Amino acid sequence: MTAEQAAQVVPLLKALADPVRIRLLSLVLSHEGGEACVCDLQPSFDLTQPTISHHLKVLHEAGLLHREKRGVWVYYRARPEALEAMTQLFAAAPSATPATPVTPAAPTAAGAGA
Amino acid sequence: MTAEQAAQVVPLLKALADPVRIRLLSLVLSHEGGEACVCDLQPSFDLTQPTISHHLKVLHEAGLLHREKRGVWVYYRARPEALEAMTQLFAAAPSATPATPVTPAAPTAAGAGA
DNA sequence: TGTCACTATCGACGCATGTCGATGTCCTGC
DNA sequence: GCAGGACATCGACATGCGTCGATAGTGACA
């Protein structure tokens, strides 16, 4: 993985690397119709409304949540593309060593002449 | 997802939510034999040795890397269990709304009598 | 028009984190 | 025993982040 590839995935991981935000995303996903407004989400947390709004903004800016205003309420919905990107990231990773014999390799940087 | 479940996954995500660490894990996975020592990894970054060591420690404490000392070198190897936990997390999530019609739901918390 | 409810933004505070230089620990080879 | 290399730890610094209270913006309703 190059530095550029890492720079693409890290914002998504950063957005999810918070207990409040990953629960927010889970709540939105499991909510009726796959969408929820702030007033649906806030009661699940012991946090103030601005804090919830802040976390939703982070998820939105990371591309994980879609935002839509309907009258007084703002509805958030998960964006499957972002979730799929995460799925593919981890689906590709562990295939490297499923049951390989793990041949001990000599270090290359410092040279094998130790 | 409960707060407890989130608390279990978040440390893994936090450990990966860094461009250096996700590249370190990728390098270890793709390295010969699925393992690498610090001297193999450091040349890929413009960072000092203590910083690389710090990031490897974070990955190790999160359960993502296994650590083994052989002589002067310390070899790091990915732990498939942790990667599988990540895979399952994201594999279960996006199945909520693949092509659902998204029926507009009224907010429940503030009551519909607004 | 005035009021109320829902949500976002702002400014501030404290804590966590990434990075570095200096140093310590452990092993190898002479 | 001594020198040198590989890696970890420590202390310090700057930056980022989560949280709050206060406040602004916007739509609904009487």
Side-chain angles (χ1 to χ4, degrees):
Chain A
M1 174 179 290
T2 67
E4 292 182 0
Q5 288 175 312
Q8 286 184 347
V9 198
V10 162
L12 289 175
L13 289 168
K14 267 193 190 306
L16 285 177
D18 183 279
V20 174
R21 288 199 289 267
I22 201 170
R23 282 184 61 203
L24 277 173
L25 182 64
S26 171
L27 282 172
V28 169
L29 279 169
S30 62
H31 201 264
E32 184 181 359
E35 63 181 6
C37 69
V38 183
C39 58
D40 291 326
L41 303 169
Q42 190 182 343
S44 300
F45 302 89
D46 284 335
L47 297 173
T48 62
Q49 177 266 324
T51 301
I52 299 293
S53 188
H54 162 71
H55 286 301
L56 287 169
K57 182 183 181 182
V58 172
L59 289 170
H60 173 59
E61 289 181 344
L64 285 160
L65 285 184
H66 173 76
R67 192 169 125 184
E68 183 182 353
K69 188 162 187 176
R70 290 191 216 146
V72 192
W73 297 288
V74 175
Y75 284 81
Y76 286 92
R77 196 170 48 216
R79 299 189 63 173
E81 319 92 82
L83 294 174
E84 185 128 359
M86 292 286 90
T87 306
Q88 289 185 0
L89 173 67
F90 290 105
S95 63
T97 56
T100 40
V102 184
T103 56
T108 60
Chain B
M1 173 180 288
T2 69
E4 292 182 0
Q5 288 175 313
Q8 287 183 347
V9 197
V10 162
L12 289 175
L13 289 168
K14 266 193 190 306
L16 285 177
D18 184 279
V20 174
R21 287 199 289 267
I22 201 170
R23 283 183 60 203
L24 278 173
L25 182 63
S26 172
L27 282 172
V28 169
L29 279 170
S30 62
H31 200 266
E32 185 181 0
E35 63 180 7
C37 69
V38 183
C39 58
D40 291 328
L41 303 169
Q42 190 182 344
S44 301
F45 301 89
D46 283 336
L47 296 173
T48 61
Q49 176 266 323
T51 300
I52 300 292
S53 187
H54 162 70
H55 285 300
L56 287 169
K57 182 183 180 182
V58 172
L59 288 170
H60 173 60
E61 290 180 343
L64 283 160
L65 284 185
H66 173 76
R67 194 167 125 184
E68 183 182 352
K69 187 163 188 176
R70 289 190 216 144
V72 192
W73 298 289
V74 176
Y75 285 81
Y76 287 91
R77 194 170 48 216
R79 300 189 64 173
E81 320 92 81
L83 295 174
E84 186 129 359
M86 293 285 90
T87 306
Q88 291 185 359
L89 172 68
F90 290 105
S95 63
T97 55
T100 40
V102 184
T103 56
T108 60

